[in-house]
Amino acid sequence: MENKEEKFSAKKFLKGLLREIIVPVALALIVIQYVIQAFQIPSGSMEDTLHTGDFLLGLKFTYGSPIPFSNQKFPGYAYPAKGDVVIFRYPGEPEYPDGNPARYTHLFNALMFGNLYWDHEPKAGQPHLVHYADGPKDYIKRCVATSGDTVAVHKGRLYINGVLQDTLPGRGKYTATARTFSPRDERDAFVVPSVGDTFTVADMPLEKLWWLRSLVAQENPDESVEFEISLWKDSVEINNYDFENFRIPVENDRGLALNELFRRNRMVLQQRLTQGDTVSGVMSFAYFKELSRIGYLPMIDPNIQGGFMRPVSYMAFEGSLLRDLEGNVALLNQAEEDSAGTVEMVEVDAPQDGAATVEGVAGDTLDAPAKSKFEIRRRLLLGGKPLETYVVKTPQFFMMGDNHDNSADSRYWGFVSLRNIRAKAFVIYFSFENDDEAFVLKNPFTWWRLPFRIRWGRLGKMIHMID
């Protein structure tokens, strides 16, 4: 007897769709949003604790899961503690394109495809949809200090509250044979801010003011944060001033300024430069003024037109460049001091029976030229309003990579606010070695290599148990 053909049932189809697709996808999205975050180790900054090619899971709810459609978080059951390996949003890039939350609305995080935004004020010929493919980036580092701790770095070694840190988990990998005055190797003692601490803008050196700018931006994600500097000479603004002999140390975090120095002076290197060397040449104050104003160097032309969506990408501007700027202005003032204290031989009219001279000496005021005074004035604006003081709202943390000599971390860009903390690193679920890039995902003919590249001994390792 033949079976009768079953009639199509929309109700049955919808039940199956709900059971097999919609519910599992919804549950997966809930887990991704509130419970775990997958993360791949892209560099060696956490060696030897974590290796390039490790894939791990982080627990979001430990420090607080994000609240949907807002910039707030649910309360977590703990704060990051010294020794925790933490996934966090890198504070060196804008959370919104151009750092402008008024102009852009965050649509959604497309996971491995980046973030999508809606531009409410696109320029003529530009689409509304904006694709931030590589950011804001997530970083993974070890929390080495929390609010209230005193931090210092000497000869690359970390000191917390005056004690050399040789007992923390992942206590540090040191590979450098020479030390310089770079942020990697030297940081004078400072205190990690606590809730309620007050900073006075006028009292802060430029580099630490740059750190405060980052802190303010992290704590106020829905408002624009701007940093303005201007150069003055004898109370006259001279923002187009060119330094004739601007000195820049050769360090990893000075790449932007060094490239500009070489370009502007059409310099061709005659010998190999090493870290700690100093180069000099003509540099314009306007270069630093513009970089500090935008905060980030756009890597894609912001005026690009056409297309379905506009791509954006940014490179961080390190505050150590502002320390160089402040130092070079100090050199200008020192040169003025030196020239004002020296008076050359002066010949004056005398009786016809001979010539007479008057010799000036250091400290003479009659013939000494008036010295000029160079100064950098600064303004930090939140929502378009200048800040004279700022009160810290959330706990702050200081992050460093376990591979101390090869890690871009808080020594360069300052504190990480609680709001930027994403997850606590929990377990390695996959790991493979591909330093020679012999395995290529897009090339099926290389897939056979994968089983031989897997680090089987690292699978399932708990992060807090790796020392």
Side-chain angles (χ1 to χ4, degrees), residues 65-148:
S65 300
I67 298 175
F69 311 109
S70 77
N71 279 311
Q72 305 301 316
K73 297 173 67 173
F74 291 112
Y77 67 81
Y79 287 156
K82 286 193 282 289
D84 286 357
V85 178
V86 180
I87 300 169
F88 56 92
R89 177 173 288 158
Y90 172 46
E93 291 179 323
E95 186 167 334
Y96 290 84
D98 309 327
N100 190 344
R103 176 177 170 180
Y104 299 91
T105 296
H106 183 226
L107 298 178
F108 59 89
N109 183 343
L111 301 179
M112 67 180 68
F113 300 104
N115 285 271
L116 294 174
Y117 297 80
W118 187 260
D119 185 354
H120 297 284
E121 302 173 3
K123 296 181 180 178
Q126 291 186 336
H128 283 279
L129 193 60
V130 175
H131 185 209
Y132 195 174
D134 58 353
K137 297 182 182 72
D138 285 338
Y139 270 31
I140 184 166
K141 306 289 180 186
R142 191 178 296 275
C143 177
V144 299
T146 62
S147 291

Coordinates of all heavy atoms in Angstrom, one line a residue, residues 65-148:
S65 N 29.3 41.7 32.2 CA 28.9 41.6 30.8 C 28.3 42.9 30.3 O 27.7 43.6 31.0 CB 27.9 40.4 30.6 OG 28.4 39.2 31.1
P66 N 28.4 43.1 29.0 CA 27.9 44.4 28.4 C 26.4 44.4 28.4 O 25.8 43.3 28.2 CB 28.5 44.4 27.0 CG 28.8 43.0 26.7 CD 29.2 42.3 27.9
I67 N 25.8 45.5 28.6 CA 24.3 45.7 28.5 C 24.0 46.0 27.0 O 24.6 47.0 26.5 CB 23.8 46.8 29.4 CG1 24.1 46.4 30.9 CG2 22.3 47.1 29.2 CD1 23.7 47.5 31.9
P68 N 23.1 45.3 26.4 CA 22.8 45.5 25.0 C 22.3 47.0 24.7 O 21.6 47.6 25.5 CB 21.7 44.5 24.7 CG 21.8 43.5 25.7 CD 22.3 44.2 26.9
F69 N 22.8 47.5 23.5 CA 22.3 48.8 23.0 C 22.7 49.9 24.0 O 22.0 50.9 24.1 CB 20.8 48.8 22.7 CG 20.4 47.6 21.9 CD1 19.6 46.6 22.5 CD2 20.7 47.5 20.6 CE1 19.2 45.5 21.8 CE2 20.3 46.4 19.9 CZ 19.5 45.4 20.4
S70 N 23.8 49.7 24.7 CA 24.3 50.8 25.6 C 25.8 50.7 25.7 O 26.4 49.7 25.3 CB 23.6 50.7 27.0 OG 24.2 49.6 27.7
N71 N 26.4 51.6 26.4 CA 27.8 51.6 26.7 C 28.0 51.3 28.2 O 29.1 51.6 28.7 CB 28.5 52.9 26.4 CG 28.8 53.0 24.9 OD1 29.3 52.1 24.3 ND2 28.3 54.1 24.3
Q72 N 27.1 50.6 28.8 CA 27.1 50.2 30.2 C 27.4 48.7 30.3 O 27.3 48.0 29.4 CB 25.9 50.6 30.9 CG 25.5 52.1 30.8 CD 26.6 53.0 31.3 OE1 27.1 52.8 32.3 NE2 26.9 54.1 30.5
K73 N 27.7 48.3 31.6 CA 28.0 46.9 31.8 C 27.1 46.4 33.0 O 26.9 47.2 34.0 CB 29.5 46.7 32.1 CG 30.4 47.0 31.0 CD 31.8 46.9 31.4 CE 32.2 45.5 31.7 NZ 33.7 45.4 31.9
F74 N 26.7 45.2 33.0 CA 26.2 44.6 34.2 C 27.3 44.4 35.2 O 28.5 44.2 34.9 CB 25.6 43.2 33.9 CG 24.3 43.2 33.1 CD1 24.4 42.7 31.8 CD2 23.2 43.7 33.6 CE1 23.2 42.7 31.0 CE2 22.0 43.7 32.8 CZ 22.0 43.3 31.5
P75 N 27.0 44.5 36.5 CA 28.1 44.3 37.5 C 28.7 42.9 37.5 O 28.0 41.9 37.3 CB 27.3 44.6 38.9 CG 26.1 45.3 38.5 CD 25.7 44.8 37.1
G76 N 30.0 42.9 37.6 CA 30.7 41.6 37.6 C 30.8 41.2 39.1 O 30.5 41.9 40.0
Y77 N 31.3 40.0 39.3 CA 31.5 39.5 40.7 C 32.9 39.8 41.2 O 33.3 39.5 42.4 CB 31.1 38.1 40.9 CG 32.0 37.1 40.2 CD1 33.2 36.7 40.8 CD2 31.6 36.5 39.0 CE1 34.0 35.7 40.1 CE2 32.4 35.6 38.4 CZ 33.6 35.2 38.9 OH 34.4 34.3 38.3
A78 N 33.8 40.4 40.3 CA 35.2 40.7 40.7 C 35.7 41.8 39.8 O 35.2 42.0 38.7 CB 36.0 39.4 40.6
Y79 N 36.7 42.4 40.3 CA 37.6 43.3 39.5 C 38.8 42.6 39.1 O 39.2 41.6 39.8 CB 38.0 44.6 40.3 CG 36.9 45.6 40.6 CD1 36.9 46.4 41.7 CD2 35.7 45.6 39.7 CE1 35.9 47.4 41.9 CE2 34.7 46.6 40.0 CZ 34.8 47.4 41.1 OH 33.8 48.3 41.3
P80 N 39.5 43.0 38.0 CA 40.8 42.4 37.7 C 41.7 42.6 38.9 O 41.8 43.6 39.5 CB 41.2 43.2 36.5 CG 39.9 43.7 35.8 CD 39.0 44.0 37.0
A81 N 42.4 41.5 39.1 CA 43.4 41.5 40.2 C 44.8 41.3 39.7 O 45.0 40.9 38.6 CB 43.1 40.4 41.2
K82 N 45.8 41.7 40.5 CA 47.2 41.6 40.0 C 47.4 40.1 39.7 O 47.2 39.2 40.5 CB 48.1 42.1 41.1 CG 48.1 43.6 41.2 CD 49.3 44.1 42.0 CE 49.1 44.0 43.5 NZ 48.1 44.9 44.0
G83 N 47.9 39.9 38.5 CA 48.2 38.5 38.1 C 47.2 38.0 37.1 O 47.5 37.0 36.4
D84 N 46.0 38.6 37.0 CA 45.0 38.1 36.1 C 45.4 38.4 34.6 O 46.0 39.5 34.4 CB 43.6 38.8 36.3 CG 42.9 38.3 37.5 OD1 43.5 37.3 38.2 OD2 41.9 38.8 37.9
V85 N 45.1 37.5 33.7 CA 45.3 37.7 32.3 C 44.0 38.2 31.8 O 43.0 37.5 31.9 CB 45.8 36.4 31.6 CG1 45.9 36.7 30.1 CG2 47.1 36.0 32.1
V86 N 44.0 39.4 31.2 CA 42.8 40.1 30.9 C 42.6 40.5 29.4 O 43.6 40.9 28.8 CB 42.7 41.4 31.7 CG1 41.4 42.2 31.5 CG2 42.8 41.1 33.2
I87 N 41.5 40.3 28.9 CA 41.1 40.8 27.5 C 40.4 42.1 27.7 O 39.5 42.2 28.4 CB 40.2 39.8 26.8 CG1 40.9 38.4 26.7 CG2 39.9 40.3 25.4 CD1 40.0 37.3 26.2
F88 N 40.9 43.1 26.9 CA 40.3 44.4 27.1 C 40.3 45.2 25.7 O 41.1 44.8 24.8 CB 41.1 45.3 28.1 CG 42.5 45.4 27.9 CD1 43.1 46.5 27.2 CD2 43.4 44.4 28.3 CE1 44.4 46.6 26.9 CE2 44.8 44.5 28.1 CZ 45.3 45.6 27.4
R89 N 39.5 46.2 25.7 CA 39.5 47.0 24.5 C 40.6 48.0 24.5 O 40.8 48.7 25.5 CB 38.2 47.8 24.4 CG 38.1 48.8 23.2 CD 36.7 49.4 23.1 NE 35.7 48.4 22.6 CZ 34.4 48.5 22.8 NH1 33.9 49.5 23.4 NH2 33.6 47.5 22.3
Y90 N 41.4 48.0 23.4 CA 42.6 48.8 23.4 C 42.3 50.3 23.4 O 41.5 50.8 22.6 CB 43.4 48.5 22.1 CG 44.5 49.3 21.7 CD1 45.5 49.6 22.6 CD2 44.7 49.8 20.4 CE1 46.6 50.4 22.3 CE2 45.8 50.6 20.1 CZ 46.7 50.9 21.0 OH 47.8 51.7 20.7
P91 N 42.8 51.0 24.4 CA 42.5 52.4 24.6 C 43.2 53.3 23.6 O 42.9 54.5 23.6 CB 42.9 52.7 26.0 CG 44.0 51.8 26.3 CD 43.7 50.5 25.5
G92 N 44.0 52.8 22.7 CA 44.8 53.7 21.8 C 44.1 53.9 20.5 O 44.7 54.5 19.6
E93 N 42.8 53.4 20.3 CA 42.1 53.7 19.1 C 40.7 54.2 19.5 O 40.2 54.0 20.6 CB 41.9 52.3 18.3 CG 43.1 51.8 17.7 CD 42.9 50.5 17.0 OE1 42.1 49.7 17.5 OE2 43.5 50.3 16.0
P94 N 40.0 54.9 18.5 CA 38.7 55.4 18.8 C 37.7 54.3 18.9 O 37.7 53.4 18.1 CB 38.4 56.4 17.7 CG 39.3 55.8 16.5 CD 40.5 55.3 17.2
E95 N 36.7 54.4 19.8 CA 35.6 53.5 19.9 C 34.6 53.7 18.8 O 34.0 52.8 18.2 CB 35.0 53.6 21.2 CG 33.9 52.5 21.5 CD 33.5 52.4 22.9 OE1 34.3 52.8 23.8 OE2 32.3 52.0 23.1
Y96 N 34.5 55.0 18.4 CA 33.7 55.4 17.2 C 34.6 55.9 16.2 O 35.6 56.5 16.5 CB 32.7 56.4 17.6 CG 31.6 55.9 18.6 CD1 31.7 55.9 19.9 CD2 30.3 55.6 18.0 CE1 30.7 55.4 20.8 CE2 29.3 55.1 18.9 CZ 29.5 55.1 20.2 OH 28.5 54.6 21.1
P97 N 34.2 55.8 14.9 CA 35.0 56.4 13.8 C 35.3 57.9 14.1 O 34.4 58.6 14.5 CB 34.2 56.2 12.6 CG 33.4 55.0 12.8 CD 33.1 55.0 14.3
D98 N 36.5 58.3 13.9 CA 36.9 59.7 14.1 C 36.8 60.1 15.6 O 36.9 61.3 15.9 CB 36.2 60.6 13.2 CG 36.2 60.2 11.8 OD1 37.2 59.7 11.3 OD2 35.2 60.5 11.1
G99 N 36.5 59.1 16.5 CA 36.3 59.5 17.9 C 35.1 60.4 18.1 O 35.0 61.2 19.0
N100 N 34.0 60.2 17.2 CA 32.9 61.1 17.2 C 31.6 60.4 17.4 O 30.9 60.0 16.4 CB 32.9 61.9 15.8 CG 31.9 63.0 15.8 OD1 31.0 63.1 16.7 ND2 32.0 63.9 14.8
P101 N 31.2 60.1 18.7 CA 30.0 59.4 18.9 C 28.7 60.1 18.5 O 27.6 59.5 18.3 CB 30.0 59.2 20.4 CG 30.9 60.3 21.0 CD 31.9 60.5 19.9
A102 N 28.8 61.5 18.4 CA 27.6 62.2 18.0 C 27.2 62.0 16.5 O 26.1 62.0 16.1 CB 27.8 63.7 18.2
R103 N 28.3 61.7 15.7 CA 28.1 61.6 14.2 C 27.7 60.1 13.9 O 27.0 59.9 12.9 CB 29.3 62.0 13.5 CG 29.2 61.8 12.0 CD 30.4 62.4 11.3 NE 30.5 62.0 9.9 CZ 31.5 62.3 9.0 NH1 32.5 63.1 9.5 NH2 31.5 61.9 7.8
Y104 N 28.3 59.2 14.6 CA 28.2 57.7 14.3 C 27.4 57.0 15.3 O 27.5 57.2 16.5 CB 29.5 57.1 14.1 CG 30.4 57.7 13.1 CD1 31.3 58.8 13.4 CD2 30.4 57.3 11.7 CE1 32.1 59.4 12.4 CE2 31.2 57.9 10.8 CZ 32.0 58.9 11.1 OH 32.8 59.5 10.1
T105 N 26.5 56.0 14.8 CA 25.8 55.1 15.7 C 26.3 53.7 15.4 O 26.4 53.3 14.3 CB 24.3 55.1 15.4 OG1 23.8 56.4 15.7 CG2 23.6 54.1 16.2
H106 N 26.7 53.0 16.5 CA 27.2 51.6 16.4 C 26.0 50.7 16.1 O 25.0 50.6 16.8 CB 27.9 51.2 17.7 CG 28.5 49.8 17.6 ND1 28.3 48.9 18.6 CD2 29.2 49.2 16.6 CE1 28.9 47.8 18.2 NE2 29.5 48.0 17.1
L107 N 26.1 50.0 14.9 CA 25.0 49.1 14.5 C 25.1 47.8 15.2 O 24.3 47.3 15.9 CB 24.9 49.0 13.0 CG 24.7 50.3 12.2 CD1 24.7 50.0 10.7 CD2 23.3 50.9 12.7
F108 N 26.3 47.1 14.9 CA 26.5 45.8 15.6 C 28.0 45.4 15.3 O 28.6 45.9 14.4 CB 25.5 44.7 15.1 CG 25.6 44.5 13.6 CD1 26.5 43.6 13.0 CD2 24.8 45.2 12.7 CE1 26.5 43.3 11.7 CE2 24.8 45.0 11.3 CZ 25.7 44.1 10.8
N109 N 28.4 44.4 16.2 CA 29.7 43.8 16.0 C 29.5 42.6 15.2 O 28.8 41.7 15.5 CB 30.2 43.5 17.4 CG 31.6 42.9 17.4 OD1 32.1 42.5 16.3 ND2 32.3 42.9 18.5
A110 N 30.2 42.6 14.0 CA 30.1 41.5 13.1 C 31.2 40.4 13.4 O 31.6 39.7 12.5 CB 30.2 42.0 11.6
L111 N 31.7 40.4 14.6 CA 32.6 39.4 15.1 C 33.9 39.5 14.3 O 34.6 40.5 14.3 CB 32.0 38.0 15.1 CG 30.8 37.8 16.0 CD1 30.2 36.4 15.9 CD2 31.1 38.2 17.4
M112 N 34.3 38.4 13.5 CA 35.6 38.4 12.8 C 35.6 39.5 11.6 O 36.6 39.7 11.1 CB 35.9 37.1 12.2 CG 34.9 36.6 11.2 SD 35.3 34.9 10.6 CE 34.9 33.9 12.0
F113 N 34.4 40.0 11.3 CA 34.3 41.0 10.2 C 34.4 42.4 10.7 O 34.2 43.4 10.0 CB 33.1 40.7 9.4 CG 33.1 39.4 8.8 CD1 32.2 38.4 9.3 CD2 33.9 39.1 7.7 CE1 32.2 37.1 8.7 CE2 33.9 37.8 7.1 CZ 33.0 36.8 7.6
G114 N 34.6 42.6 12.0 CA 34.7 44.0 12.6 C 33.3 44.6 13.0 O 32.3 43.9 13.2
N115 N 33.3 45.9 13.1 CA 32.1 46.6 13.5 C 31.6 47.5 12.4 O 32.3 48.0 11.6 CB 32.5 47.5 14.7 CG 32.7 46.7 16.0 OD1 31.8 46.5 16.7 ND2 33.9 46.3 16.3
L116 N 30.2 47.6 12.4 CA 29.5 48.5 11.4 C 28.9 49.6 12.2 O 28.3 49.5 13.2 CB 28.5 47.7 10.7 CG 29.1 46.6 9.8 CD1 27.9 45.7 9.2 CD2 29.9 47.1 8.7
Y117 N 29.0 50.8 11.5 CA 28.4 52.1 12.1 C 27.6 52.8 11.0 O 27.8 52.6 9.8 CB 29.5 53.0 12.5 CG 30.4 52.5 13.7 CD1 31.4 51.6 13.4 CD2 30.2 52.9 15.0 CE1 32.2 51.1 14.4 CE2 31.0 52.4 16.0 CZ 32.0 51.5 15.7 OH 32.8 51.0 16.7
W118 N 26.7 53.6 11.5 CA 25.8 54.4 10.6 C 26.3 55.9 10.8 O 26.3 56.5 11.8 CB 24.4 54.3 11.0 CG 23.5 55.0 10.0 CD1 22.9 56.3 10.2 CD2 23.0 54.5 8.8 NE1 22.1 56.6 9.1 CE2 22.2 55.5 8.2 CE3 23.2 53.3 8.1 CZ2 21.6 55.3 6.9 CZ3 22.6 53.1 6.9 CH2 21.8 54.1 6.3
D119 N 26.7 56.5 9.6 CA 27.2 57.8 9.6 C 26.0 58.7 9.3 O 25.4 58.7 8.3 CB 28.2 58.0 8.5 CG 28.8 59.4 8.4 OD1 28.4 60.2 9.2 OD2 29.8 59.6 7.6
H120 N 25.6 59.6 10.3 CA 24.5 60.5 10.1 C 24.8 61.7 9.3 O 23.9 62.4 8.9 CB 24.0 60.9 11.5 CG 23.5 59.8 12.4 ND1 22.3 59.2 12.2 CD2 24.1 59.2 13.4 CE1 22.1 58.3 13.1 NE2 23.2 58.2 13.9
E121 N 26.1 62.0 9.1 CA 26.5 63.2 8.3 C 27.6 62.9 7.3 O 28.7 63.4 7.4 CB 27.0 64.3 9.3 CG 26.0 64.7 10.4 CD 26.6 65.6 11.4 OE1 27.8 66.0 11.2 OE2 25.9 66.0 12.3
P122 N 27.3 62.0 6.4 CA 28.3 61.6 5.4 C 28.6 62.8 4.5 O 27.7 63.6 4.2 CB 27.6 60.4 4.6 CG 26.2 60.7 4.7 CD 26.0 61.3 6.1
K123 N 29.8 62.8 4.0 CA 30.2 63.9 3.0 C 29.6 63.6 1.7 O 29.1 62.4 1.4 CB 31.7 64.0 2.9 CG 32.4 64.4 4.2 CD 33.9 64.6 4.1 CE 34.5 65.0 5.4 NZ 36.0 65.1 5.3
A124 N 29.5 64.5 0.8 CA 28.9 64.4 -0.5 C 29.6 63.2 -1.2 O 30.8 63.1 -1.3 CB 29.1 65.6 -1.3
G125 N 28.7 62.3 -1.7 CA 29.2 61.1 -2.4 C 29.6 59.9 -1.6 O 30.1 58.9 -2.1
Q126 N 29.5 60.1 -0.2 CA 29.9 59.0 0.7 C 28.6 58.2 1.2 O 27.6 58.8 1.4 CB 30.6 59.5 1.9 CG 32.0 60.0 1.5 CD 32.8 60.4 2.8 OE1 32.2 60.7 3.8 NE2 34.1 60.4 2.7
P127 N 28.7 56.9 1.4 CA 27.6 56.1 1.9 C 27.4 56.4 3.4 O 28.3 56.9 4.1 CB 28.0 54.7 1.7 CG 29.5 54.7 1.7 CD 29.9 56.1 1.2
H128 N 26.3 56.0 3.9 CA 26.0 56.1 5.4 C 26.7 55.0 6.1 O 27.0 55.2 7.3 CB 24.5 56.0 5.6 CG 23.8 57.3 5.3 ND1 23.7 58.4 6.2 CD2 23.0 57.7 4.2 CE1 23.0 59.4 5.6 NE2 22.6 59.0 4.4
L129 N 26.8 53.8 5.5 CA 27.4 52.7 6.2 C 28.9 52.7 6.3 O 29.6 53.0 5.3 CB 26.9 51.4 5.5 CG 27.1 50.1 6.3 CD1 26.3 50.1 7.6 CD2 26.7 48.9 5.4
V130 N 29.4 52.6 7.5 CA 30.9 52.6 7.8 C 31.3 51.3 8.3 O 30.7 50.8 9.3 CB 31.2 53.8 8.7 CG1 32.7 53.8 9.0 CG2 30.8 55.1 8.1
H131 N 32.4 50.8 7.8 CA 33.0 49.5 8.2 C 34.3 49.7 8.9 O 35.3 50.1 8.3 CB 33.2 48.6 7.0 CG 33.6 47.2 7.3 ND1 34.3 46.4 6.5 CD2 33.4 46.5 8.5 CE1 34.6 45.3 7.1 NE2 34.0 45.2 8.3
Y132 N 34.3 49.4 10.2 CA 35.6 49.5 11.0 C 36.1 48.0 11.2 O 35.9 47.4 12.2 CB 35.2 50.1 12.3 CG 36.4 50.6 13.2 CD1 36.1 51.3 14.4 CD2 37.7 50.4 12.8 CE1 37.1 51.8 15.1 CE2 38.7 50.9 13.6 CZ 38.4 51.6 14.8 OH 39.5 52.1 15.6
A133 N 36.8 47.6 10.2 CA 37.1 46.1 10.1 C 38.1 45.7 11.1 O 38.0 44.6 11.7 CB 37.7 45.8 8.7
D134 N 39.1 46.5 11.5 CA 40.1 46.0 12.4 C 40.0 46.7 13.8 O 41.0 46.7 14.5 CB 41.5 46.3 11.8 CG 41.7 47.8 11.5 OD1 40.8 48.5 11.6 OD2 42.8 48.1 11.1
G135 N 38.9 47.2 14.1 CA 38.8 47.9 15.4 C 37.4 48.1 15.8 O 36.5 47.9 15.1
P136 N 37.2 48.6 17.1 CA 38.3 48.8 18.0 C 38.9 47.4 18.4 O 38.2 46.5 18.7 CB 37.7 49.5 19.2 CG 36.4 50.0 18.7 CD 36.0 49.1 17.6
K137 N 40.2 47.3 18.5 CA 40.9 46.1 18.7 C 40.8 45.6 20.1 O 40.7 46.5 21.0 CB 42.4 46.2 18.3 CG 42.7 46.4 16.9 CD 44.2 46.5 16.6 CE 44.5 46.8 15.2 NZ 44.2 48.2 14.9
D138 N 40.8 44.3 20.3 CA 40.9 43.8 21.7 C 42.4 43.3 21.9 O 43.0 42.8 21.0 CB 40.0 42.6 21.9 CG 38.5 43.0 22.0 OD1 38.3 44.1 22.4 OD2 37.7 42.1 21.7
Y139 N 42.9 43.6 23.1 CA 44.2 43.3 23.5 C 44.2 42.3 24.6 O 43.1 42.2 25.3 CB 45.0 44.5 24.0 CG 45.8 45.2 22.9 CD1 45.3 45.2 21.6 CD2 47.0 45.9 23.2 CE1 46.1 45.9 20.6 CE2 47.7 46.5 22.2 CZ 47.2 46.6 20.9 OH 47.9 47.2 19.9
I140 N 45.2 41.5 24.8 CA 45.3 40.6 26.0 C 46.7 40.9 26.7 O 47.7 40.8 26.0 CB 45.1 39.1 25.6 CG1 45.1 38.2 26.9 CG2 46.2 38.7 24.6 CD1 44.6 36.8 26.6
K141 N 46.6 41.2 28.0 CA 47.8 41.4 28.8 C 47.6 40.9 30.2 O 46.5 40.5 30.5 CB 48.2 42.9 28.8 CG 48.3 43.6 27.4 CD 49.5 43.2 26.7 CE 49.6 43.9 25.3 NZ 50.7 43.4 24.5
R142 N 48.6 41.0 31.0 CA 48.4 40.7 32.4 C 48.2 42.0 33.2 O 49.0 43.0 33.0 CB 49.7 39.9 32.9 CG 49.5 39.3 34.3 CD 50.7 38.5 34.7 NE 50.9 37.4 33.9 CZ 50.4 36.2 34.0 NH1 49.5 36.0 34.9 NH2 50.7 35.2 33.2
C143 N 47.3 41.9 34.1 CA 47.1 43.1 35.0 C 48.2 43.0 36.1 O 48.3 42.0 36.8 CB 45.7 43.0 35.7 SG 45.4 44.2 36.9
V144 N 49.0 44.0 36.2 CA 50.1 44.1 37.1 C 49.9 45.1 38.2 O 50.7 45.0 39.2 CB 51.5 44.3 36.4 CG1 51.7 43.3 35.3 CG2 51.5 45.7 35.7
A145 N 49.0 46.0 38.1 CA 48.7 46.9 39.1 C 47.3 47.4 39.0 O 46.7 47.5 38.0 CB 49.7 48.1 39.0
T146 N 46.7 47.8 40.2 CA 45.4 48.3 40.2 C 45.3 49.6 40.9 O 46.4 50.1 41.4 CB 44.5 47.3 41.0 OG1 44.9 47.1 42.3 CG2 44.5 45.9 40.3
S147 N 44.2 50.2 41.0 CA 44.0 51.6 41.6 C 44.7 51.7 42.9 O 44.5 50.8 43.8 CB 42.5 51.9 41.7 OG 41.9 52.1 40.5
G148 N 45.5 52.7 43.1 CA 46.2 53.0 44.4 C 47.6 52.4 44.4 O 48.4 52.8 45.3

